[in-house]
Amino acid sequence: MKKQHLFWKTVVISMLVSLVVLIQPTIGHSADDNSRASFSDITQGYWASEEITFLTSKGIIKGYNNGEFGPKDNVTRAQAAIMVARALELNTDNITDPKLSDVNDEHSAYKEIAAVIDQGIFDRVGSYYPNEPLTRGEMAKILVRSYELKGNYGEYFTDVSLENEYYPYINKLFANGVTTGFSNKTFKPDQSVTRDQFAVFFARVLDSKFKPSIINNNSLELAKSGILNGCKYSLNDFVTAKDILDDNGEPHWEGYNGGAKGKLFGNCLYYTGDYVDDSDKLITAIDYYTDENTNISIQDIKKLLGEPLEEGYDEMNGYSYMTYSDDAYFLNFIFSDGSPILSAMELRYKMSEEKASYHLLKELGLLNNPNAFAGYEGTQDETSREYYFEVCQNVQHSEEEAQCVPLGFYYVDKFTGDIRQSTY
């Protein structure tokens, strides 16, 4: 098992020196940002007080005339339009009339509602229902649309299927660290959003300092789903390098490392397992490189995640490491230069048989051939790191009879996606 971990530990440490200059620290805040908003029902220790203060200082959110904030009141759709319009500084003068049946030009939020509809943040429909509570699904939709959030974590929440109209927005909100959902892996898209909850979500979109830590007590559960906190794309879906390029433009850095090609976006390095053009290659691994504001120690990680499967010190390269893993993933933490503070994380995730089959056919140029398929043949050793497939092509001899003509037998590495042809 140590040999399996050693390759990745050696790979990631070689990248630390060359990439650290490319990672930009989180922007700090002025004293005005932290001036405490005074609401009679928000104490300094209230769970959302910092986010409420932040949004109040920006003029995005306000309290009631009686001096209260009303943290547990539901956010209405009209209030949501007002706060989004303020945050985006939308022009509300001479705005196109959305011709709503329930909001005329005498409504107190008419201009803001018209503005967010004009910008495509809310849909242009016959009625707006301004006094109805904003749901969590609707909240995800307007925040993603407002700030054009990108990312893909695939299916994770048990109550948000691919068919759910809010799935793409909840997916992106989750991928950007704005929401973590509930402890039972639900999101509750139809539940109303309270004012304190909306403040927290909104603040996380505007400033990453309000997002949950990149390491928390849910990190291992996320790793089981191919998700590395702090990175916007997961390994559990069919995400390609092209998908990430389309969303984010040119990478901050790209190059080869340990036999895989990587592209750096922000703090995250996404790998494909090929030396050639990787524009349509599946992402097979992710590294996260910390910046100078990260202050997560070895003890912090152990406190949250428990004792690692393996830990040690590499004298030759001068770094400490800790490894957490199970059958589905390897999650490694690297501490360089003898420091107890985290330098990098790396996630390697086991492909499903379906994804490995897709990957193999794609690499062989057969993905769009309707008669070609890869049948899983298993391995002699089920603990092997490789899948074993027979690739064949159906040849129709008659209406009743078809024959699978073998094209070859192939091994696919479950974690890296490396392919090798069987010599048998």
Side-chain angles (χ1 to χ4, degrees), residues 288-304:
Y288 178 96
Y289 296 91
T290 62
D291 57 43
E292 63 185 33
N293 288 326
T294 301
N295 191 31
I296 301 172
S297 70
I298 292 174
Q299 292 306 315
D300 291 334
I301 296 172
K302 288 184 176 181
K303 184 176 180 180
L304 288 166

Side-chain angles (χ1 to χ4, degrees), residues 376-389 411 414:
Y376 177 56
E377 296 294 317
T379 58
Q380 292 182 347
D381 180 6
E382 291 302 322
T383 64
S384 170
R385 282 175 59 100
E386 296 178 311
Y387 290 118
Y388 186 52
F389 291 99
Y411 292 95
K414 297 176 182 178

Side-chain angles (χ1 to χ4, degrees), residues 256 259-261 272-278 281 363 418:
Y256 297 102
K261 187 172 184 179
T272 54
D274 205 319
Y275 281 100
V276 297
D277 175 30
D278 64 345
K281 306 297 182 183
E363 294 300 302
D418 290 344

Side-chain angles (χ1 to χ4, degrees), residues 133-143 157 159 166 169-170 173 178-182 186-194 197-198 201:
L134 187 77
T135 67
R136 288 168 60 86
E138 291 171 332
M139 176 271 302
K141 185 174 183 177
I142 66 173
L143 290 180
F157 297 115
D159 59 346
Y166 298 113
Y169 307 104
I170 295 169
L173 204 70
V178 178
T179 182
T180 57
F182 295 91
T186 61
F187 182 78
K188 301 180 182 178
D190 298 324
Q191 187 176 92
S192 300
V193 181
T194 58
Q197 292 170 345
F198 191 76
F201 287 127

Side-chain angles (χ1 to χ4, degrees), residues 150-371:
K150 308 294 184 181
N152 183 3
Y153 270 4
E155 285 189 271
Y156 180 80
F157 297 115
T158 58
D159 59 346
V160 184
S161 68
L162 289 170
E163 291 73 32
N164 190 297
E165 65 174 305
Y166 298 113
Y167 167 79
Y169 307 104
I170 295 169
N171 181 9
K172 290 180 174 63
L173 204 70
F174 184 34
N176 281 268
V178 178
T179 182
T180 57
F182 295 91
S183 58
N184 61 354
K185 293 184 67 173
T186 61
F187 182 78
K188 301 180 182 178
D190 298 324
Q191 187 176 92
S192 300
V193 181
T194 58
R195 286 168 59 83
D196 54 0
Q197 292 170 345
F198 191 76
V200 170
F201 287 127
F202 215 143
R204 288 174 180 174
V205 170
L206 296 177
D207 197 315
S208 60
K209 81 166 188 175
F210 295 110
K211 293 180 180 179
S213 171
I214 58 172
I215 301 175
N216 54 58
N217 55 16
N218 198 40
S219 292
L220 298 185
E221 186 64 35
L222 293 175
K224 292 179 182 179
S225 296
I227 294 171
L228 183 63
N229 269 344
C231 298
K232 298 179 183 179
Y233 301 86
S234 73
L235 299 175
N236 70 345
D237 207 10
F238 293 78
V239 179
T240 68
K242 184 178 185 302
D243 294 330
I244 301 177
L245 285 167
D246 288 346
D247 282 352
N248 300 279
E250 291 302 309
H252 302 135
W253 176 92
E254 65 178 314
Y256 297 102
N257 188 52
K261 187 172 184 179
K263 295 180 184 294
L264 181 72
F265 295 90
N267 297 68
C268 299
L269 186 65
Y270 299 94
Y271 289 99
T272 54
D274 205 319
Y275 281 100
V276 297
D277 175 30
D278 64 345
S279 61
D280 63 347
K281 306 297 182 183
L282 289 172
I283 299 303
T284 57
I286 306 172
D287 292 345
Y288 178 96
Y289 296 91
T290 62
D291 57 43
E292 63 185 33
N293 288 326
T294 301
N295 191 31
I296 301 172
S297 70
I298 292 174
Q299 292 306 315
D300 291 334
I301 296 172
K302 288 184 176 181
K303 184 176 180 180
L304 288 166
L305 307 183
E307 289 297 318
L309 177 68
E310 180 187 345
E311 63 180 316
Y313 181 78
D314 188 315
E315 294 183 0
M316 181 178 295
N317 293 299
Y319 66 88
S320 301
Y321 62 87
M322 296 196 307
T323 300
Y324 295 80
S325 70
D326 70 4
D327 292 340
Y329 70 90
F330 293 104
L331 179 59
N332 296 324
F333 298 96
I334 304 297
F335 308 85
S336 61
D337 302 322
S339 170
I341 302 302
L342 182 68
S343 298
M345 300 184 293
E346 53 178 3
L347 178 64
R348 307 297 180 258
Y349 184 71
K350 186 173 75 173
M351 289 184 178
S352 65
E353 291 176 22
E354 178 187 10
K355 185 173 179 179
S357 173
Y358 172 95
H359 173 62
L360 175 60
L361 291 175
K362 191 179 186 73
E363 294 300 302
L364 295 177
L366 298 172
L367 188 61
N368 295 320
N369 184 338
N371 295 316

